[in-house]
Amino acid sequence: MPELPDVEGFRGVMQRCAGGRRVDGVEVRDAGVLRGVTARRLCRELQGRRFAQPWRHGKWLVTPSDGPALVWHFGMTGELLCAAPDDAVEAHDRLLITLDGGRQLRYRDRRKLQGVRLAADEAAVERILADLGPDARGLDLSRFLRLLSGRRGGIKSALTDQSLLAGLGNLLADEILWRARVRPDRSVRGLDDDELRRVHAAMGRVLRSSVRAGRVPARRGWLTGRRDDAEPVCPRCGRPLASGRTAGRRTVWCEHCQR
């Protein structure tokens, strides 16, 4: 699933491919990726518009223009690509936006669980994003502690709750908690200040590295690089990794390192 680093990578694709460019054509190959807008209206509203600089909040990407804005959520399998108009179109390329200068922006999505919205103005963008918490990237320690103060439930559930903290998904949460040596099912209220500081510090390190890579890297020194092995072991201590369900998602952790 695309998480904050992936969407930051898509923001870069959008900026390089479409920033400052005029829309010369829109082809909706599958309206199943549109949310709250018809294919006809999307084509009509975007035609001739010039894109401004895109920005991201959590797992959402916003592309303003000199008219409406596109608001993207990539669900489980969505991605943005920059192509030439004569490049072969893949089966899962759902939306093609042709730009002046000969570039084409493509939204590719196999499962179509989320998709593309059209926001008439800044107020409409704000309404779409209204239920999100602050972006996880660059969140300072004091605000992080305030967000978790009095929080019920487990720490992984808190980290992946987009209304509390926007941008973290399953892979990031597991990686952060493994680095902080905190079990994912620990109660937030049961964590002391030192443990919460470790979680915050690990979040910053993981996000910095992941944003540079454009994804959560599957490095062998990371939990992410081991979790899908046939017999996964902890990159730190070499003991077998545990796997279960936490916050409704498959969760991987080390029983030895994360007590």
Side-chain angles (χ1 to χ4, degrees):
M1 174 185 290
E3 301 184 31
L4 186 159
D6 306 85
V7 181
E8 185 64 22
F10 300 151
R11 186 193 65 78
V13 170
M14 177 70 74
Q15 183 169 326
R16 292 189 297 273
C17 190
R21 296 288 181 178
R22 187 186 67 244
V23 176
D24 281 351
V26 180
E27 180 184 354
V28 179
R29 302 184 72 244
D30 187 343
V33 298
L34 303 184
R35 299 291 182 271
V37 63
T38 65
R40 177 178 292 183
R41 182 183 166 216
L42 185 76
C43 296
R44 183 180 69 247
E45 295 283 349
L46 284 183
Q47 186 70 38
R49 297 296 187 181
R50 191 172 296 276
F51 285 126
Q53 295 303 305
W55 54 276
R56 179 196 55 77
H57 187 90
K59 301 179 186 180
W60 293 77
L61 178 65
V62 179
T63 309
S65 76
D66 55 3
L70 288 177
V71 184
W72 315 73
H73 191 291
F74 299 90
M76 292 286 290
T77 56
E79 57 180 322
L80 273 179
L81 304 97
C82 190
D86 57 352
D87 287 348
V89 177
E90 301 291 336
H92 302 306
D93 289 345
R94 313 296 185 179
L95 174 64
L96 313 181
I97 301 175
T98 302
L99 307 157
D100 68 322
R103 296 174 180 175
Q104 193 171 73
L105 191 68
R106 297 183 179 182
Y107 178 68
R108 183 175 296 170
D109 193 352
R110 179 169 54 86
R111 296 184 64 183
K112 302 186 292 184
L113 297 181
Q114 284 282 345
V116 186
R117 293 159 173 81
L118 188 71
D121 50 30
E122 290 184 9
V125 173
E126 290 175 2
R127 286 193 294 272
I128 293 171
L129 306 182
D131 293 333
L132 298 177
D135 190 78
R137 188 183 184 192
L139 187 70
D140 64 44
L141 177 60
S142 61
R143 191 173 186 190
F144 179 76
L145 295 176
R146 287 198 302 273
L147 288 172
L148 293 180
S149 177
R151 171 82 183 192
R152 296 180 180 274
I155 182 62
K156 179 173 180 179
S157 177
L159 292 180
T160 55
D161 181 350
Q162 301 303 297
S163 67
L164 183 76
L165 188 64
L168 304 183
N170 200 47
L171 293 181
L172 284 172
D174 282 0
E175 187 70 40
I176 289 164
L177 293 172
W178 174 75
R179 288 173 177 269
R181 297 178 178 265
V182 172
R183 276 181 61 103
D185 58 356
R186 288 278 304 278
S187 165
V188 175
R189 289 185 168 186
L191 297 174
D192 60 30
D193 285 349
D194 180 62
E195 289 170 318
L196 289 173
R197 288 189 182 94
R198 293 207 310 266
V199 172
H200 177 265
M203 181 175 73
R205 291 193 299 270
V206 168
L207 285 177
R208 284 191 293 274
S209 293
S210 298
V211 165
R212 285 196 297 269
R215 66 187 188 282
V216 187
R219 297 169 184 156
R220 298 301 285 171
W222 288 45
L223 185 75
T224 309
R226 304 280 186 148
R227 61 184 295 139
D228 293 326
D229 290 353
E231 296 182 358
V233 298
C234 175
R236 188 160 45 215
C237 71
R239 291 175 171 83
L241 291 171
S243 179
R245 303 288 292 185
T246 305
R249 301 293 306 279
R250 176 177 177 250
T251 300
V252 176
W253 72 97
C254 176
E255 293 277 8
H256 176 76
C257 294
Q258 295 168 263
R259 296 185 180 276

